[in-house]
Amino acid sequence: MKRHLASLLLSLPLAAGCGDASSTDAPSDDAAVTDVVSLLDAPASIDAPASIDAPASIDAPASIDAPASIDAPASIDAVSASDTPPSAMPEAPPPPPPVDVPVAMPDVPSPPPPPPPPPPPPPPPPVMTCIATAAIGNGGGTCAGIDQAFSARGVNAGYYPFRVLRPIVQFSGDHDGDGRTVFSAGPRRRGVVLQTIPAGVYVGLSTIPGNYDPPTGCDVATCGNPSRAACGDSSPALRAPVAGFYWGYAYQGASHMQGWISVPSGALEFAGYDARHPCALGPAGEDYEVRSVCGRATACRGTNPTCGQVNRCDEGDDDCGRTQCGAMSGGALTPTAWRRTVTLPRGHACTLRDPPNPAVRCLENGRERDFFFVYPFGAYLYWAQNSTTRAWLHYGDRVQVYFHNRDAQGVLWDFVEVLSSGAPTLTPASDGAGAGSGCSDTRPENCHPCRNGGTCGWVQDIFLGG
């Protein structure tokens, strides 16, 4: 503090008239000197002299008339605050306010600002919140009374139409590979990407498969009456999703392959109330679009039949080994003795149909040479023979067979239970417990496949190896 004040005083200019003894405004010499000394923390025992004698070695110039009381030196060296006569000391101004001096920093690029948070996803279409869902429904009777071994007569699925607003992906099952490459499995899961469905096309999401409610009965004792409808309800519930994936197909601008469709929020818009949309009639064009959704009638472009018009009571009359109705053979099996691995068959090059990918080949069905497609990664599992698809089996999956039937076209079908799966979420395996308790070819009533969950269905025997 002392050094600071001395420096401040030395930097002040001397007032005009310094040393003029006739000044009446200046305080007395003793008081002024005492104040300055006290400011400099001078010891109290030092009395300020009445006059200051300049050192003898300094001669005062003739131009400076020193007052009588003060012998002014010839020159003044500003070596301390006491060299300045007190009468010439102005009042010290208050210290200036502190000034923040910016510190020069090196030019470092500022990090980019964080991206703004994404907008909240749009709510799902209101219609999705009111559509009822179910797992299977009533599939009517089964072959030999075996759970879920439906015949085609009881599987009468329809479709809910949606417009695709942004691209969505369709899978065969659990997938952990490159999402940009179709038909290619990842390192741990056998499911593949079937296709990326572009915006602007349509998808049909499947209803529950079991929709057997013939208004006048089907007269099954005589192999089913073709003049009667196997279903009266043309608006069954939507098939329940599995892990957020819906079973369906794409149409009007994409392949008709069936599979699990990922439906992120805002990706689909219900099209059923827009009469300009093309009717969702299934992959082969032989099914129906639901007639009413959430209490409101639907409309579409084209002819939309009712469920009963496309599902007659004679469907599946050659199922379940009914040789009297056209089947070539068939019957129950002991499943533990019929364990098989899903295997790629040879097939042949398609000549009458355009496959969805060059890697896809064809299989015949009776007189139809290119009836079935053979995919390089797996095979469809059906709810009933020659009926609606249920899921995908992948090559390497293990199954056990409960029933087989050679239909009127000569195709051998097997009703199987999945025991191990390369896509365990979308094609979950069963624990096989339903094959115990005396289940056999002679006691099929004791067989309960998929008792504790899992996947059961029909597949062509050509896909099953040893």
Side-chain angles (χ1 to χ4, degrees):
M1 180 67 184
K2 186 184 296 182
R3 183 180 299 171
H4 174 69
L5 182 57
S7 174
L8 180 63
L9 293 175
L10 287 173
S11 67
L12 295 174
L14 294 178
C18 179
D20 186 358
S22 65
S23 175
T24 59
D25 295 331
S28 64
D29 292 343
D30 290 346
V33 172
T34 302
D35 288 344
V36 173
V37 171
S38 65
L39 286 171
L40 297 176
D41 296 328
S45 61
I46 299 176
D47 296 326
S51 64
I52 300 176
D53 295 329
S57 61
I58 302 176
D59 297 329
S63 62
I64 299 178
D65 295 329
S69 60
I70 300 178
D71 295 329
S75 65
I76 299 175
D77 297 324
V79 296
S80 70
S82 60
D83 292 323
T84 305
S87 60
M89 298 282 293
E91 291 185 3
V99 177
D100 292 332
V101 179
V103 179
M105 298 292 291
D107 292 335
V108 178
S110 301
V127 69
M128 289 294 287
T129 63
C130 73
I131 295 177
T133 61
I136 296 177
N138 176 22
T142 62
C143 296
I146 299 172
D147 296 344
Q148 300 187 37
F150 303 117
S151 71
R153 184 182 294 114
V155 176
N156 304 309
Y159 294 89
Y160 285 77
F162 289 85
R163 182 181 297 106
V164 179
L165 301 182
R166 66 173 189 263
I168 54 178
V169 182
Q170 184 185 43
F171 298 90
S172 69
D174 309 26
H175 179 64
D176 62 351
D178 184 355
R180 298 167 298 179
T181 306
V182 299
F183 293 4
S184 179
R188 295 174 301 277
R189 295 290 181 258
R190 299 190 187 116
V192 303
V193 172
L194 297 175
Q195 63 180 328
T196 297
I197 302 171
V201 305
Y202 293 86
V203 297
L205 301 185
S206 176
T207 70
I208 53 173
N211 184 26
Y212 180 71
D213 61 338
T216 58
C218 270
D219 194 13
V220 293
T222 60
C223 301
N225 191 331
S227 65
R228 298 181 185 179
C231 51
D233 182 7
S234 294
S235 300
L238 181 69
R239 180 180 171 184
V242 177
F245 292 84
Y246 290 83
W247 186 261
Y249 77 105
Y251 66 107
Q252 291 292 305
S255 170
H256 288 193
M257 289 182 292
Q258 299 142 82
W260 297 105
I261 297 175
S262 172
V263 185
S265 178
L268 295 183
E269 175 184 61
F270 182 68
Y273 301 144
D274 181 0
R276 297 169 297 178
H277 84 274
C279 300
L281 303 181
E286 297 179 356
D287 296 307
Y288 63 97
E289 180 177 302
V290 292
R291 292 298 191 93
S292 174
V293 177
C294 302
R296 180 178 171 184
T298 61
C300 62
R301 186 177 75 247
T303 301
N304 183 27
T306 65
C307 178
Q309 287 174 326
V310 292
N311 293 283
R312 312 304 290 176
C313 282
D314 63 339
E315 276 191 22
D317 55 359
D318 59 342
D319 294 349
C320 303
R322 288 195 292 263
T323 54
Q324 70 275 24
C325 299
M328 294 185 178
S329 63
L333 301 173
T334 301
T336 54
W338 285 80
R339 291 184 173 172
R340 298 290 186 267
T341 299
V342 183
T343 306
L344 172 66
R346 292 183 60 182
H348 60 260
C350 302
T351 57
L352 303 177
R353 298 178 63 190
D354 292 328
N357 185 285
V360 177
R361 296 173 67 82
C362 280
L363 283 176
E364 68 278 353
N365 182 18
R367 291 184 298 271
E368 297 189 47
R369 173 177 169 79
D370 291 354
F371 190 84
F372 296 111
F373 283 141
V374 178
Y375 293 86
F377 56 86
Y380 282 123
L381 188 71
Y382 294 78
W383 288 103
Q385 303 164 55
N386 292 306
S387 182
T388 302
T389 55
R390 175 174 185 169
W392 280 93
L393 298 174
H394 297 91
Y395 301 134
D397 291 354
R398 289 286 288 173
V399 301
Q400 59 185 4
V401 185
Y402 283 77
F403 197 99
H404 66 181
N405 179 76
R406 190 174 296 276
D407 64 19
Q409 289 77 38
V411 178
L412 181 60
W413 291 84
D414 293 328
F415 178 75
V416 303
E417 175 183 38
V418 178
L419 297 179
S420 68
S421 171
T425 299
L426 297 178
T427 309
S430 169
D431 60 10
S437 302
C439 167
S440 69
D441 58 345
T442 59
R443 300 294 301 274
E445 67 275 9
N446 292 335
C447 298
H448 303 282
C450 295
R451 167 184 283 172
N452 299 318
T455 307
C456 291
W458 293 89
V459 63
Q460 297 100 319
D461 185 81
I462 196 171
F463 288 100
L464 301 185

